[in-house]
Amino acid sequence: MNDFMAARSQMALSLGFHIVFSCIGMVMPFFMAVAHFLWLRTGNVNYKNVAKAWSKGVAIFFATGAVSGTVLSFELGLLWPTFMKHAGPIFGMPFSLEGTAFFIEAIALGFFLYGWDKFNRWFHWVTGVVVGVSGIVSGILVVAANSWMNSPSGFDYVNGQYINIDPIKAMFNRGWFSQSLHMTIAAFAATGFAVAGIHALMILRKTNVGFHATSFKIAAIFGVVAALLQPVSGDISAKFVARTQPAKLAAMEAHFNTEKNAALIIGGVPDVKNKQVNYAVKLPGMLSFMIHGTTDSTVKGLDKIPVQNQPPVSVTHYAFQIMVALGMLMMGVGLLYLFAIFKKRDWLTKAWFLKIFVAATPLGFLAVEAGWTVTEVGRQPWIIQGVMRTADAVTPMPGIAYSFYLFTAVYFTLALAVIFLLNRQIKMVPVLYDVEPAKPAHA
């Protein structure tokens, strides 16, 4: 492995690891605040127990996210010094503001964790809400910085110089809204399904059913609603990519030839050498219609993109197909859940129904990882779209491969530690909390 690929692999590993904790850190505080609010309104101790238990999980993921996020910040400077030299003054503002949001989140989380029976009950709840709002704002700011890389603005590039810098315009670039919306909804869907799946498993094991049924209900509702909204944000994002990054769209769809009435490709194995897709289901005109609103419109293919500017087609296409397929599966589970709530409430306690949610536990995070693969690999060979190539931004320092191996071991160890802590936390539920007798789900 050469140093360039090692640097990219290390960054991909760090981002892929951190994004899971970022999603959970953005969303779990809202679950916690909802459970807390329901306890204040109803007096049902199960809601209080759920809020307390989830706050412990929030603390674990907050600490892990802080560590992995700090590593990412250092890696930007260590692995990509040329990029940071020029890009730092332009898109540094969202990172600075993200640090402020993180600081507020840390203070509010401390108030919430140690404020039980010490603060006014509603003030205590507000501190939990602040944790959630700060987490969402923090995530949006980081995504805004990433969207700048896909849609650079706020500067003029003249004779190799970055001049007329406008940090506000850079932060609110053309892509920040669509990308932030898509990522935020994805975080709610992924975390909702993951949390619901874990609690569904505990219900199946008949362990503290009242506690876990309450937890399952809150998480499932968030996850289902987000999964059903995600196609809307996906459509907005796809249309934006079509306008600003036609090479990425062409790679996502393995669309080799510019044409009218372009077909939407489902599945398939791209044959880059022969510029065709084998074993795919093709829906004539649908790609043109989805992008431009009419089947007669022309969709730009890879044949109009210089070879040296084309992203890796197979990786981008497969990642996109995986993301869409998992999103559709989550939508299917969501529709089944809504049908059960309104028409077949007895399904909610059936083993087969809960097993569906257990099976769906990892789907959201797999979709998030696939989506980030599309975003990052689909932008190649650019680190700043159309301005700076990734190969020109990498550090000249040798031995990056050893750094990659070391970080892989560190992240693997950190993942095991998180799994151990969460498993221990789940097992200690009946010890830590006065759990009410078992109740059926959605009673």
Side-chain angles (χ1 to χ4, degrees):
M1 181 184 293
N2 60 41
D3 289 333
F4 175 59
M5 287 306 300
R8 288 191 61 194
S9 298
Q10 183 173 325
M11 201 70 193
L13 172 70
S14 301
L15 179 61
F17 186 88
H18 178 68
I19 195 63
V20 173
F21 299 104
S22 295
C23 288
I24 297 172
M26 289 168 66
V27 173
M28 278 301 295
F30 277 100
F31 292 4
M32 175 185 76
V34 168
H36 194 182
F37 176 79
L38 291 173
W39 170 62
L40 293 175
R41 290 296 301 270
T42 67
N44 185 336
V45 71
N46 264 337
Y47 289 123
K48 179 182 181 181
N49 292 336
V50 169
K52 280 190 171 184
W54 278 349
S55 69
K56 301 295 193 302
V58 168
I60 292 171
F61 284 111
F62 180 84
T64 311
V67 172
S68 58
T70 302
V71 170
L72 269 173
S73 299
F74 282 113
E75 284 179 334
L76 283 172
L78 294 173
L79 299 178
W80 314 102
T82 305
F83 167 70
M84 289 305 295
K85 174 184 177 182
H86 297 291
I90 304 173
F91 82 148
M93 179 173 286
F95 280 125
S96 300
L97 294 176
E98 190 272 338
T100 302
F102 181 83
F103 179 68
I104 294 172
E105 184 180 3
I107 294 174
L109 181 59
F111 275 119
F112 188 85
L113 289 174
Y114 299 105
W116 291 100
D117 304 319
K118 296 180 178 67
F119 296 139
N120 173 276
R121 298 200 311 168
W122 286 102
F123 173 78
H124 184 218
W125 173 74
V126 169
T127 64
V129 174
V130 171
V131 175
V133 173
S134 300
I136 290 289
V137 171
S138 179
I140 289 174
L141 288 167
V142 171
V143 173
N146 180 267
S147 68
W148 177 84
M149 298 164 68
N150 293 319
S151 178
S153 60
F155 67 98
D156 292 323
Y157 186 65
V158 180
N159 297 325
Q161 299 296 315
Y162 298 77
I163 60 176
N164 300 326
I165 293 173
D166 184 347
I168 299 297
K169 187 176 180 180
M171 182 167 65
F172 295 107
N173 58 81
R174 292 179 298 168
W176 84 271
F177 175 76
S178 61
Q179 197 168 323
S180 297
L181 177 66
H182 195 57
M183 184 62 224
T184 301
I185 296 176
F188 273 93
T191 306
F193 270 82
V195 174
I198 292 170
H199 289 291
L201 178 63
M202 301 309 293
I203 295 171
L204 287 170
R205 292 178 177 177
K206 302 188 184 306
T207 304
N208 306 310
V209 175
F211 173 89
H212 290 293
T214 300
S215 304
F216 172 82
K217 177 171 62 176
I218 296 172
I221 290 173
F222 271 103
V224 165
V225 172
L228 295 176
L229 290 175
Q230 189 66 305
V232 177
S233 67
D235 181 65
I236 295 172
S237 294
K239 285 182 168 61
F240 178 78
V241 168
R243 293 194 304 271
T244 60
Q245 295 177 288
K248 179 185 286 188
L249 178 72
M252 287 161 55
E253 294 290 342
H255 185 60
F256 290 101
N257 300 307
T258 302
E259 60 184 352
K260 292 183 178 182
N261 197 38
L264 179 68
I265 295 176
I266 301 175
V269 178
D271 182 349
V272 178
K273 182 179 180 180
N274 296 311
K275 302 185 184 306
Q276 63 185 24
V277 183
N278 301 317
Y279 316 113
V281 175
K282 297 184 179 181
L283 304 178
M286 283 304 297
L287 182 60
S288 293
F289 179 79
M290 292 176 68
I291 297 301
H292 300 293
T294 171
T295 58
D296 293 331
S297 60
T298 300
V299 178
K300 189 175 183 178
L302 289 166
D303 58 334
K304 297 295 184 181
I305 309 293
V307 175
Q308 67 271 21
N309 293 340
Q310 293 181 11
V313 176
S314 296
V315 174
T316 307
H317 177 71
Y318 292 141
F320 179 68
Q321 294 293 315
I322 290 171
M323 179 187 68
V324 173
L326 294 177
M328 296 300 292
L329 282 174
M330 293 167 69
M331 281 186 63
V333 175
L335 291 173
L336 181 67
Y337 180 82
L338 292 181
F339 182 79
I341 285 210
F342 292 109
K343 295 293 184 180
K344 295 284 186 178
R345 292 190 65 85
D346 59 306
W347 286 6
L348 299 171
T349 56
K350 301 292 185 182
W352 64 266
F353 185 84
L354 294 171
K355 286 178 180 178
I356 290 175
F357 273 89
V358 173
T361 299
L363 297 186
F365 287 116
L366 292 175
V368 167
E369 298 287 4
W372 274 101
T373 300
V374 172
T375 298
E376 298 303 298
V377 176
R379 189 180 61 246
Q380 299 308 312
W382 306 101
I383 192 169
I384 305 176
Q385 178 68 40
V387 177
M388 180 186 293
R389 291 180 177 273
T390 309
D392 296 332
V394 72
T395 178
M397 182 178 68
I400 299 299
Y402 299 106
S403 174
F404 169 62
Y405 301 142
L406 175 63
F407 273 80
T408 300
V410 169
Y411 280 128
F412 180 74
T413 303
L414 190 57
L416 291 179
V418 171
I419 292 171
F420 169 77
L421 290 172
L422 290 176
N423 183 58
R424 182 172 177 269
Q425 178 64 25
I426 292 172
K427 288 182 177 179
M428 290 183 67
V429 163
V431 177
L432 295 175
Y433 310 111
D434 181 20
V435 178
E436 285 191 344
K439 296 179 181 180
H442 295 270

